Amino acid sequence: GSAFRGLADDWSAIYFNPAGITQFGKWHIGGSLGMIMPRGSYQAYAYPSQPFTGMSTVAVDATARNFAVPAFGIFYKPAEKLSVGLGVCAPFGLGTEWDMISVPASYGNATAISKEKEFYSDHMVIDIMPTVAYKLTEKLSVGVGLKYSWGKMTLDQVLLPLTSVIAYQQFGGTVPLATINTLLGGIALAGQAIQQPVNPYRLIVEENLEGDGSAYGANAGLLFKASEKLSIGVSGRYSTDLKLKGDFKLTAGVPSFAPQIAALVAGGQLDAATAGLLNGAFNGKNLSLTNINDVEADLPLPWTIGAGIAFKPTSRWTITADASLTDWSSWDKIELKRKGETINEIDLGWKNTIELGAGIEFLAMQKEGSKLFLRLGGYTVDSPVPDSTMNPTLLDPARRILVTGGVGVVMGKLTVDLAYERAIFADKDIPAADYKIGVEGYPMNYAGKYKFNANVFTLGLGWSL
């Protein structure tokens, strides 16, 4: 259950508490491969004003995606009190994919969305961690490591800004805003009503962001063995911002109102010059608003600090508990820049989280160099994401509870571990009244019902000498 800071007695100590690697023998090698299988659904609520009929308001399942998460560590003890190691792991990652919007025929632009599944996210960070640990006394060890991080981020989403505002800005005010609003209002003119008035209210704007970059950091820890039965661990991780470089695109799928405009001209409500301007504005084509290939962004990698204990009431039982704080508040605003100038800003407003976990291990069998361990654990942590920026591209909508179980088999110098983890998220319901609308009229969040869960299977191997 991630409650390992106070124990730190296998190769994953390089991530949880590097001071623990002093407990190894001359050589210690280990690795794992985890398979994360998130699943979920989202039921959008219609916008409280100027809704878009192309957005599904029934529950939609996320595309089933599975993520392989590898980790590895190798350690050597050149002296009795000194240990060195190198670890590789992926501490951040995952992503989502959704098909929630269908372009209605009345929009007049069937290609307004370029992808069948218009919401997509994929995030990954890989850490390489050279580490050294020293046993200060028989009871106290200290460990320090450097960290090089490489990460990538891909984000595709659809924004639905108000058509009138965009058209007014696009044409510099040459078409009076009142005229555009009249056109879009669906009012009866010359006995004819504009078809499907809710569709023309909004443009379809695709936002695509893709980049990769690197960061540097450090991790450190202390492990104090108060007695044969009790040990205490404290550790923390820190990173500089991930310096992302990549591409940023905004593409607008513009509706076509040619039949409606023609009806207004025929009814004497529009002159030919204004009708020409409106047909130019609403031409049923796709318009590239932004296409920049050298965008930069500083993506914070949050620091984490925590403490844990391990207690062994008997030779067969081990009980652990852990608490940690993660600085997700660093994800406040992410600025996209080009040559030092801000071209766009992503408002996140995340908050810090506290994680609480516990675990238990039982030595079920021991015979001639072989051992069988049974394990159970779990932890809970709140979501860092506020309702004001919640959207389906995130896999963290509400407080989650994770329950873990597994077995470990030791056969001489070889250890084999199998684990299963079930992640249960509380259902999240954001009322339609809680939509946060941006200046262009599109929502900064997505109100609706969020339901998520995940299954995780992990195989680990270790070898010691």
Side-chain angles (χ1 to χ4, degrees):
S2 289
F4 200 60
R5 283 181 171 88
L7 192 60
D9 62 351
D10 69 23
W11 64 270
S12 65
I14 199 168
Y15 175 78
F16 287 100
N17 185 353
I21 70 173
T22 60
Q23 302 177 88
F24 304 156
K26 191 71 172 180
W27 285 95
H28 186 73
I29 301 173
S32 68
L33 179 64
M35 185 63 67
I36 304 177
M37 296 176 284
R39 301 292 184 266
S41 68
Y42 169 66
Q43 180 180 354
Y45 293 147
Y47 300 158
S49 62
Q50 293 87 41
F52 183 76
T53 59
M55 177 177 285
S56 173
T57 55
V58 299
V60 176
D61 290 334
T63 301
R65 298 174 64 190
N66 301 322
F67 299 86
V69 182
F72 174 78
I74 182 170
F75 308 90
Y76 174 65
K77 181 175 284 188
E80 179 62 27
K81 295 184 177 182
L82 179 66
S83 298
V84 296
L86 178 68
V88 180
C89 69
F92 304 107
L94 302 184
T96 60
E97 188 175 32
W98 302 84
D99 182 10
M100 298 190 300
I101 297 178
S102 299
V103 181
S106 58
Y107 196 75
N109 184 357
T111 63
I113 299 178
S114 64
K115 299 180 179 179
E116 178 184 356
K117 297 179 179 180
E118 62 284 333
F119 288 86
Y120 176 86
S121 66
D122 190 83
H123 316 287
M124 180 178 65
V125 175
I126 296 175
D127 285 349
I128 301 175
M129 301 172 291
T131 301
V132 59
Y134 189 76
K135 198 170 185 179
L136 296 174
T137 70
E138 287 302 312
K139 292 186 176 183
L140 181 63
S141 297
V142 59
V144 178
L146 299 178
K147 183 170 62 170
Y148 170 78
S149 301
W150 176 86
K152 70 172 185 176
M153 179 174 70
T154 301
L155 179 65
D156 298 336
Q157 60 182 343
V158 169
L159 311 175
L160 298 171
L162 291 171
T163 309
S164 58
V165 175
I166 294 295
Y168 186 64
Q169 294 174 345
Q170 182 70 28
F171 287 85
T174 56
V175 179
L177 188 59
T179 301
I180 296 175
N181 283 331
T182 298
L183 175 67
L184 301 178
I187 59 176
L189 295 174
Q192 297 185 21
I194 295 178
Q195 298 293 317
Q196 299 286 348
V198 292
N199 290 333
Y201 275 120
R202 297 186 177 274
L203 291 180
I204 297 174
V205 177
E206 288 185 281
E207 181 180 57
N208 310 110
L209 175 64
E210 184 171 358
D212 59 35
S214 60
Y216 300 90
N219 61 337
L222 294 171
L223 183 65
F224 178 65
K225 289 196 169 185
S227 67
E228 289 296 323
K229 293 186 176 182
L230 177 66
S231 59
I232 302 170
V234 178
S235 66
R237 298 183 294 273
Y238 170 80
S239 291
T240 61
D241 291 348
L242 193 68
K243 302 290 185 180
L244 291 174
K245 294 183 179 181
D247 304 331
F248 176 64
K249 299 178 182 179
L250 284 176
T251 306
V254 182
S256 173
F257 298 154
Q260 293 91 330
I261 294 171
L264 293 174
V265 173
Q269 303 299 316
L270 284 178
D271 58 65
T274 302
L277 290 172
L278 290 173
N279 276 316
F282 305 109
N283 54 18
K285 299 179 180 179
N286 295 336
L287 175 68
S288 178
L289 301 178
T290 301
N291 189 355
I292 303 176
N293 298 322
D294 54 352
V295 174
E296 298 180 354
D298 292 343
L299 184 67
L301 297 179
W303 54 257
T304 297
I305 187 169
I309 63 171
F311 179 60
K312 298 184 177 183
T314 72
S315 60
R316 288 181 174 267
W317 290 93
T318 302
I319 302 170
T320 66
D322 201 295
S324 62
L325 170 67
T326 300
D327 176 41
W328 285 114
S329 64
S330 57
W331 281 43
D332 183 25
K333 293 182 180 180
I334 298 177
E335 293 183 336
L336 305 182
K337 296 182 178 182
R338 182 177 183 269
K339 296 181 179 180
E341 295 186 4
T342 300
I343 60 173
N344 197 19
E345 189 175 82
I346 302 175
D347 189 1
L348 297 172
W350 286 23
K351 58 186 179 181
N352 294 343
T353 59
I354 294 176
E355 180 180 307
L356 302 174
I360 188 168
E361 178 184 78
F362 175 60
L363 176 57
M365 185 183 71
Q366 183 174 11
K367 184 178 180 180
E368 296 178 357
S370 298
K371 298 178 182 180
L372 173 65
F373 294 96
L374 304 179
R375 303 179 181 121
L376 183 67
Y379 70 89
T380 180
V381 62
D382 201 2
S383 170
V385 188
D387 291 358
S388 59
T389 60
M390 184 73 67
N391 68 74
T393 61
L394 303 170
L395 268 173
D396 205 358
R399 172 170 289 278
R400 65 183 185 268
I401 298 174
L402 292 96
V403 179
T404 64
V407 298
V409 178
V410 178
M411 297 172 289
K413 299 175 182 179
L414 178 66
T415 300
V416 180
D417 295 305
L418 292 172
Y420 167 74
E421 179 178 270
R422 174 69 173 179
I424 305 167
F425 293 80
D427 292 349
K428 185 72 172 182
D429 193 311
I430 301 178
D434 289 346
Y435 267 120
K436 181 182 178 183
I437 305 300
V439 293
E440 291 86 6
Y442 65 83
M444 305 294 289
N445 64 346
Y446 280 80
K449 293 181 179 179
Y450 294 80
K451 295 184 177 182
F452 281 100
N453 62 74
N455 294 305
V456 185
F457 295 90
T458 304
L459 169 65
L461 297 175
W463 180 82
S464 58
L465 177 63

PDB file of all heavy atoms in Angstrom, residues 33-38 65-69 421 455-459:
ATOM      1  N   LEU A  33       7.509  -5.096 -13.572  1.00  0.00           N
ATOM      2  CA  LEU A  33       6.697  -4.635 -14.691  1.00  0.00           C
ATOM      3  C   LEU A  33       5.253  -4.628 -14.226  1.00  0.00           C
ATOM      4  O   LEU A  33       4.699  -5.675 -13.864  1.00  0.00           O
ATOM      5  CB  LEU A  33       6.861  -5.550 -15.911  1.00  0.00           C
ATOM      6  CG  LEU A  33       6.012  -5.148 -17.129  1.00  0.00           C
ATOM      7  CD1 LEU A  33       6.442  -3.785 -17.649  1.00  0.00           C
ATOM      8  CD2 LEU A  33       6.112  -6.199 -18.232  1.00  0.00           C
ATOM      9  N   GLY A  34       4.656  -3.445 -14.224  1.00  0.00           N
ATOM     10  CA  GLY A  34       3.266  -3.316 -13.824  1.00  0.00           C
ATOM     11  C   GLY A  34       2.381  -3.014 -15.022  1.00  0.00           C
ATOM     12  O   GLY A  34       2.809  -2.369 -15.980  1.00  0.00           O
ATOM     13  N   MET A  35       1.166  -3.487 -14.983  1.00  0.00           N
ATOM     14  CA  MET A  35       0.178  -3.205 -16.029  1.00  0.00           C
ATOM     15  C   MET A  35      -1.003  -2.497 -15.385  1.00  0.00           C
ATOM     16  O   MET A  35      -1.716  -3.078 -14.562  1.00  0.00           O
ATOM     17  CB  MET A  35      -0.273  -4.493 -16.709  1.00  0.00           C
ATOM     18  CG  MET A  35      -1.210  -4.258 -17.893  1.00  0.00           C
ATOM     19  SD  MET A  35      -0.431  -3.343 -19.248  1.00  0.00           S
ATOM     20  CE  MET A  35       0.790  -4.534 -19.803  1.00  0.00           C
ATOM     21  N   ILE A  36      -1.196  -1.232 -15.744  1.00  0.00           N
ATOM     22  CA  ILE A  36      -2.283  -0.420 -15.191  1.00  0.00           C
ATOM     23  C   ILE A  36      -3.421  -0.388 -16.201  1.00  0.00           C
ATOM     24  O   ILE A  36      -3.216  -0.038 -17.371  1.00  0.00           O
ATOM     25  CB  ILE A  36      -1.812   1.006 -14.871  1.00  0.00           C
ATOM     26  CG1 ILE A  36      -0.613   0.962 -13.918  1.00  0.00           C
ATOM     27  CG2 ILE A  36      -2.942   1.816 -14.266  1.00  0.00           C
ATOM     28  CD1 ILE A  36      -0.043   2.324 -13.595  1.00  0.00           C
ATOM     29  N   MET A  37      -4.628  -0.722 -15.745  1.00  0.00           N
ATOM     30  CA  MET A  37      -5.792  -0.805 -16.629  1.00  0.00           C
ATOM     31  C   MET A  37      -6.919   0.076 -16.091  1.00  0.00           C
ATOM     32  O   MET A  37      -7.817  -0.394 -15.384  1.00  0.00           O
ATOM     33  CB  MET A  37      -6.244  -2.260 -16.746  1.00  0.00           C
ATOM     34  CG  MET A  37      -5.203  -3.153 -17.413  1.00  0.00           C
ATOM     35  SD  MET A  37      -5.664  -4.898 -17.461  1.00  0.00           S
ATOM     36  CE  MET A  37      -5.358  -5.323 -15.761  1.00  0.00           C
ATOM     37  N   PRO A  38      -6.865   1.381 -16.386  1.00  0.00           N
ATOM     38  CA  PRO A  38      -7.925   2.281 -15.908  1.00  0.00           C
ATOM     39  C   PRO A  38      -9.183   2.163 -16.762  1.00  0.00           C
ATOM     40  O   PRO A  38      -9.114   1.954 -17.975  1.00  0.00           O
ATOM     41  CB  PRO A  38      -7.289   3.668 -16.052  1.00  0.00           C
ATOM     42  CG  PRO A  38      -6.307   3.514 -17.168  1.00  0.00           C
ATOM     43  CD  PRO A  38      -5.807   2.097 -17.099  1.00  0.00           C
ATOM     44  N   ARG A  65      -7.716   1.532 -22.296  1.00  0.00           N
ATOM     45  CA  ARG A  65      -6.279   1.608 -22.567  1.00  0.00           C
ATOM     46  C   ARG A  65      -5.516   0.969 -21.411  1.00  0.00           C
ATOM     47  O   ARG A  65      -5.913   1.108 -20.245  1.00  0.00           O
ATOM     48  CB  ARG A  65      -5.821   3.064 -22.743  1.00  0.00           C
ATOM     49  CG  ARG A  65      -6.471   3.779 -23.904  1.00  0.00           C
ATOM     50  CD  ARG A  65      -6.076   5.260 -23.925  1.00  0.00           C
ATOM     51  NE  ARG A  65      -4.641   5.441 -24.155  1.00  0.00           N
ATOM     52  CZ  ARG A  65      -4.022   6.617 -24.023  1.00  0.00           C
ATOM     53  NH1 ARG A  65      -4.697   7.686 -23.620  1.00  0.00           N
ATOM     54  NH2 ARG A  65      -2.735   6.718 -24.270  1.00  0.00           N
ATOM     55  N   ASN A  66      -4.429   0.285 -21.722  1.00  0.00           N
ATOM     56  CA  ASN A  66      -3.579  -0.339 -20.717  1.00  0.00           C
ATOM     57  C   ASN A  66      -2.179   0.262 -20.800  1.00  0.00           C
ATOM     58  O   ASN A  66      -1.681   0.544 -21.900  1.00  0.00           O
ATOM     59  CB  ASN A  66      -3.514  -1.855 -20.926  1.00  0.00           C
ATOM     60  CG  ASN A  66      -4.885  -2.501 -20.862  1.00  0.00           C
ATOM     61  OD1 ASN A  66      -5.732  -2.099 -20.059  1.00  0.00           O
ATOM     62  ND2 ASN A  66      -5.121  -3.491 -21.704  1.00  0.00           N
ATOM     63  N   PHE A  67      -1.554   0.456 -19.643  1.00  0.00           N
ATOM     64  CA  PHE A  67      -0.265   1.126 -19.579  1.00  0.00           C
ATOM     65  C   PHE A  67       0.752   0.226 -18.870  1.00  0.00           C
ATOM     66  O   PHE A  67       0.530  -0.185 -17.729  1.00  0.00           O
ATOM     67  CB  PHE A  67      -0.388   2.452 -18.828  1.00  0.00           C
ATOM     68  CG  PHE A  67      -1.335   3.428 -19.465  1.00  0.00           C
ATOM     69  CD1 PHE A  67      -2.699   3.381 -19.175  1.00  0.00           C
ATOM     70  CD2 PHE A  67      -0.886   4.382 -20.357  1.00  0.00           C
ATOM     71  CE1 PHE A  67      -3.586   4.266 -19.757  1.00  0.00           C
ATOM     72  CE2 PHE A  67      -1.765   5.278 -20.947  1.00  0.00           C
ATOM     73  CZ  PHE A  67      -3.111   5.213 -20.652  1.00  0.00           C
ATOM     74  N   ALA A  68       1.851  -0.068 -19.548  1.00  0.00           N
ATOM     75  CA  ALA A  68       2.933  -0.849 -18.954  1.00  0.00           C
ATOM     76  C   ALA A  68       3.883   0.096 -18.217  1.00  0.00           C
ATOM     77  O   ALA A  68       4.304   1.118 -18.761  1.00  0.00           O
ATOM     78  CB  ALA A  68       3.696  -1.620 -20.023  1.00  0.00           C
ATOM     79  N   VAL A  69       4.211  -0.241 -16.960  1.00  0.00           N
ATOM     80  CA  VAL A  69       5.066   0.607 -16.124  1.00  0.00           C
ATOM     81  C   VAL A  69       6.262  -0.225 -15.645  1.00  0.00           C
ATOM     82  O   VAL A  69       6.139  -1.034 -14.736  1.00  0.00           O
ATOM     83  CB  VAL A  69       4.285   1.160 -14.921  1.00  0.00           C
ATOM     84  CG1 VAL A  69       5.176   2.078 -14.094  1.00  0.00           C
ATOM     85  CG2 VAL A  69       3.037   1.899 -15.378  1.00  0.00           C
ATOM     86  N   GLU A 421      -3.564  -4.670  -7.423  1.00  0.00           N
ATOM     87  CA  GLU A 421      -4.057  -3.441  -6.803  1.00  0.00           C
ATOM     88  C   GLU A 421      -5.380  -3.035  -7.440  1.00  0.00           C
ATOM     89  O   GLU A 421      -5.505  -3.041  -8.675  1.00  0.00           O
ATOM     90  CB  GLU A 421      -3.024  -2.321  -6.981  1.00  0.00           C
ATOM     91  CG  GLU A 421      -3.438  -0.983  -6.389  1.00  0.00           C
ATOM     92  CD  GLU A 421      -2.338   0.064  -6.553  1.00  0.00           C
ATOM     93  OE1 GLU A 421      -1.492   0.176  -5.660  1.00  0.00           O
ATOM     94  OE2 GLU A 421      -2.315   0.741  -7.600  1.00  0.00           O
ATOM     95  N   ASN A 455      -7.484  -1.428 -12.357  1.00  0.00           N
ATOM     96  CA  ASN A 455      -6.846  -2.653 -11.902  1.00  0.00           C
ATOM     97  C   ASN A 455      -5.369  -2.599 -12.271  1.00  0.00           C
ATOM     98  O   ASN A 455      -5.014  -2.148 -13.373  1.00  0.00           O
ATOM     99  CB  ASN A 455      -7.489  -3.887 -12.549  1.00  0.00           C
ATOM    100  CG  ASN A 455      -8.924  -4.085 -12.103  1.00  0.00           C
ATOM    101  OD1 ASN A 455      -9.196  -4.154 -10.911  1.00  0.00           O
ATOM    102  ND2 ASN A 455      -9.839  -4.160 -13.059  1.00  0.00           N
ATOM    103  N   VAL A 456      -4.518  -3.033 -11.357  1.00  0.00           N
ATOM    104  CA  VAL A 456      -3.078  -3.010 -11.582  1.00  0.00           C
ATOM    105  C   VAL A 456      -2.494  -4.376 -11.214  1.00  0.00           C
ATOM    106  O   VAL A 456      -2.716  -4.861 -10.093  1.00  0.00           O
ATOM    107  CB  VAL A 456      -2.380  -1.911 -10.745  1.00  0.00           C
ATOM    108  CG1 VAL A 456      -0.901  -1.845 -11.116  1.00  0.00           C
ATOM    109  CG2 VAL A 456      -3.049  -0.565 -10.963  1.00  0.00           C
ATOM    110  N   PHE A 457      -1.769  -4.971 -12.159  1.00  0.00           N
ATOM    111  CA  PHE A 457      -1.082  -6.238 -11.897  1.00  0.00           C
ATOM    112  C   PHE A 457       0.422  -5.991 -12.042  1.00  0.00           C
ATOM    113  O   PHE A 457       0.863  -5.334 -12.991  1.00  0.00           O
ATOM    114  CB  PHE A 457      -1.529  -7.313 -12.891  1.00  0.00           C
ATOM    115  CG  PHE A 457      -2.968  -7.687 -12.768  1.00  0.00           C
ATOM    116  CD1 PHE A 457      -3.937  -7.013 -13.507  1.00  0.00           C
ATOM    117  CD2 PHE A 457      -3.372  -8.706 -11.916  1.00  0.00           C
ATOM    118  CE1 PHE A 457      -5.273  -7.353 -13.399  1.00  0.00           C
ATOM    119  CE2 PHE A 457      -4.701  -9.046 -11.799  1.00  0.00           C
ATOM    120  CZ  PHE A 457      -5.663  -8.366 -12.546  1.00  0.00           C
ATOM    121  N   THR A 458       1.205  -6.511 -11.110  1.00  0.00           N
ATOM    122  CA  THR A 458       2.646  -6.266 -11.115  1.00  0.00           C
ATOM    123  C   THR A 458       3.414  -7.551 -10.850  1.00  0.00           C
ATOM    124  O   THR A 458       3.071  -8.319  -9.933  1.00  0.00           O
ATOM    125  CB  THR A 458       3.040  -5.210 -10.059  1.00  0.00           C
ATOM    126  OG1 THR A 458       2.301  -4.014 -10.288  1.00  0.00           O
ATOM    127  CG2 THR A 458       4.528  -4.880 -10.163  1.00  0.00           C
ATOM    128  N   LEU A 459       4.453  -7.762 -11.623  1.00  0.00           N
ATOM    129  CA  LEU A 459       5.398  -8.867 -11.426  1.00  0.00           C
ATOM    130  C   LEU A 459       6.759  -8.275 -11.112  1.00  0.00           C
ATOM    131  O   LEU A 459       7.247  -7.394 -11.834  1.00  0.00           O
ATOM    132  CB  LEU A 459       5.494  -9.739 -12.684  1.00  0.00           C
ATOM    133  CG  LEU A 459       6.629 -10.775 -12.711  1.00  0.00           C
ATOM    134  CD1 LEU A 459       6.417 -11.833 -11.631  1.00  0.00           C
ATOM    135  CD2 LEU A 459       6.742 -11.416 -14.086  1.00  0.00           C
TER     136      LEU A 459
END
